[in-house]
């Protein structure tokens, strides 16, 4: 049956598949968390931004913390995948370093500002949040460590130490660049940081005698 001509018309909200609804809710939550931080964000605001009722929001996420952790998982996995992808993208180590630096700058510079959830969270003292932030650090370091071991034959502890230096330098430089208003053009900033890191990494000899630059011996 159809409504009588001139009568009130009501539009039933579009029913999305569960996965699409979850994606919609996460996108709305990210906007609210980035704008206000965890503590000031309210589930009411998130539901309103998503255009759903609070009961619909709670069907997918039992509370604000679970919603925040789901977002963290998504973005933590993304930055680790970017760094690992850079390590696998080329057999050329100089290109790998450039790719790893670019991964950090791209993550920091993304319009979603998702980096604030990972690196500037106002909930970092929460054990579950801290565990995820530490997983990012360890995951990125592990991705670089594997490449250094395979290319140089260094011991795992040595390779991991070098990898932490690479990841730390790239991450800190990208955060500094962003916090200081992107004063250096992004491509130039990436090239500068990559060049600095490469001068150190290239000094270690590859396995089999081939070198990217002769190295001091490691005891």
């Amino acid at each position: 049956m159809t409504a009588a001509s001139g009568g009130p018309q009501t539009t039933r909200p579009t029913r999305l598949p569960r996965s699409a609804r979850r994606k919609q809710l996460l996108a709305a939550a990210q906007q609210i968390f980035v704008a206000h931080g965890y503590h000031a964000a309210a589930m009411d605001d998130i539901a309103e931004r998503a255009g759903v009722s609070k009961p619909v929001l709670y069907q997918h996420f039992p509370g604000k913390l679970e919603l925040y952790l789901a977002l963290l998982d998504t973005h933590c996995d993304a930055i680790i995948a970017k760094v690992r992808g850079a390590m696998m993208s080329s057999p050329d180590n100089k290109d790998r370093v450039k790719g790893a630096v670019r991964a950090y700058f791209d993550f920091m510079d993304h319009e979603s500002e998702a980096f604030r959830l990972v690196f500037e969270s106002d909930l970092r003292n929460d054990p579950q949040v801290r565990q995820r932030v530490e997983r990012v650090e360890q995951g990125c370091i592990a991705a670089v460590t594997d490449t250094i071991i395979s290319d140089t034959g260094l011991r795992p502890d040595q390779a991991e130490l070098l990898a932490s230096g690479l990841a730390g330098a790239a991450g800190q430089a990208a955060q500094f660049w962003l916090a200081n208003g992107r004063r250096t053009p992004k491509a130039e900033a990436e090239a500068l940081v990559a060049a600095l890191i490469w001068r150190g990494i290239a000094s270690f000899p590859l396995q089999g005698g081939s070198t990217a630059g002769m190295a001091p011996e490691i005891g």
Side-chain angles (χ1 to χ4, degrees):
M1 294 182 63
T2 58
S5 178
Q9 301 273 336
T10 58
T11 301
R12 185 174 295 181
T14 303
R15 187 176 182 85
L16 295 177
R18 185 172 182 82
S19 60
R21 179 67 76 193
R22 179 182 172 88
K23 184 176 181 180
Q24 176 198 33
L25 297 174
L26 287 171
Q30 180 168 309
Q31 293 173 18
I32 298 297
F33 284 135
V34 166
H36 303 292
Y38 176 83
H39 293 295
M43 293 293 269
D44 286 322
D45 297 332
I46 294 169
E48 181 179 353
R49 180 64 61 91
V52 302
S53 65
K54 279 182 69 177
V56 170
L57 180 56
Y58 281 111
Q59 285 175 11
H60 293 264
F61 301 98
K64 187 168 71 168
L65 179 59
E66 288 77 12
L67 184 50
Y68 192 83
L69 293 177
L71 272 173
L72 268 185
D73 285 335
T74 297
H75 295 301
C76 289
D77 290 343
I79 183 61
I80 292 171
K82 281 179 176 291
V83 173
R84 190 169 293 280
M87 294 297 101
M88 300 175 64
S89 64
S90 169
D92 185 281
N93 284 332
K94 191 172 185 179
D95 287 341
R96 287 169 170 168
V97 169
K98 290 178 180 178
V101 171
R102 187 181 307 115
Y104 278 98
F105 273 80
D106 284 349
F107 185 70
M108 297 293 176
D109 194 41
H110 196 276
E111 62 183 11
S112 69
E113 297 190 55
F115 78 93
R116 297 190 186 280
L117 302 178
V118 180
F119 295 108
E120 297 182 1
S121 173
D122 57 349
L123 200 63
R124 289 192 69 159
N125 288 332
D126 181 273
Q128 296 180 83
V129 173
R130 186 168 61 249
Q131 183 270 332
R132 284 162 171 80
V133 173
E134 290 173 354
R135 181 169 68 84
V136 169
E137 296 170 354
Q138 293 304 314
C140 292
I141 289 171
V144 180
T145 298
D146 292 343
T147 299
I148 292 176
I149 290 176
S150 65
D151 282 355
T152 66
L154 293 176
R155 298 194 315 265
D157 62 301
Q158 295 172 329
E160 189 174 40
L161 186 60
L162 291 178
S164 71
L166 187 157
Q172 286 296 318
Q175 288 184 66
F176 179 86
W177 170 80
L178 188 66
N180 282 270
R182 302 178 174 90
R183 289 180 297 175
T184 305
K186 182 167 177 268
E188 182 183 340
E190 290 175 5
L192 284 169
V193 176
L196 174 65
I197 295 172
W198 174 245
R199 285 179 68 86
I201 293 292
S203 68
F204 291 90
L206 303 178
Q207 290 198 81
S210 175
T211 63
M214 289 306 295
E217 298 239 344
I218 296 180

